[in-house]
Amino acid sequence: MKKNNISESKTVQKLAPFRNELDLINFEIVELLSRRMHICRTIAKVKSQEQIPMMQMGRVEFTLSKVKELAIAQQLRPEYVSDIFERIIHETCDEESQIINTLSAEN
C-alpha cells in the first residue's frame, strides 16, 4: 500500500504545475467575465437612456458567428465555444433587462 501512495504522490507532483496553470487560467477567465459584464451593464444604461431595445439579435448572431471563427482558428470545436458564449450572452441579457427595467421604473 505504501508503494501505491508513493506512486500517487509522484503523479500529483507531476500534475501540480499543470493544475496551478489551470487555476490561474480559471482566475483570468472569471476576471474577463467580470470585465465583460461591467461593459454590458454600461451598455444597458445607454440602451435605457436612448430607448434602444435590450435584445439586439443581429449583434447576438454576429457575436456567435465571430466566436465560432475564433474557435476554429484556435483549433477548438466551434460548438464548444458557441455553447459557452450562448450561456454568457443569456446571463448578460438577463442583467441588461434587470438594469433597463429598474431604470425605466425610476423614470
Side-chain angles (χ1 to χ4, degrees):
M1 188 114 148
K2 280 186 176 183
K3 196 172 191 179
N4 193 21
N5 286 342
I6 292 171
S7 177
E8 286 178 22
S9 177
K10 287 181 182 179
T11 301
V12 169
Q13 287 176 351
K14 287 180 182 178
L15 293 175
F18 303 110
R19 289 178 173 166
N20 290 339
E21 190 171 356
L22 286 175
D23 290 343
L24 177 60
I25 291 168
N26 292 339
F27 176 80
E28 291 171 347
I29 289 170
V30 172
E31 273 191 327
L32 290 170
L33 289 170
S34 177
R35 284 179 48 202
R36 189 181 194 285
M37 185 63 80
H38 178 76
I39 292 166
C40 289
R41 288 177 180 131
T42 302
I43 288 170
K45 292 172 187 172
V46 171
K47 285 179 179 178
S48 178
Q49 291 168 352
E50 302 298 324
Q51 298 182 343
I52 298 169
M54 184 284 298
M55 182 54 71
Q56 303 286 309
M57 282 309 299
R59 177 64 183 165
V60 171
E61 291 168 4
F62 171 82
T63 300
L64 292 175
S65 175
K66 189 67 176 172
V67 297
K68 286 178 185 178
E69 291 174 16
L70 293 170
I72 292 167
Q74 294 295 322
Q75 299 178 339
L76 296 169
R77 286 186 319 106
E79 300 81 12
Y80 166 60
V81 174
S82 178
D83 286 350
I84 293 167
F85 270 83
E86 284 179 14
R87 180 66 187 129
I88 291 169
I89 290 167
H90 175 80
E91 186 66 25
T92 55
C93 285
D94 283 351
E95 183 79 6
E96 281 188 30
S97 287
Q98 289 177 15
I99 291 169
I100 290 169
N101 290 340
T102 298
L103 292 174
S104 294
E106 290 174 0
N107 293 332

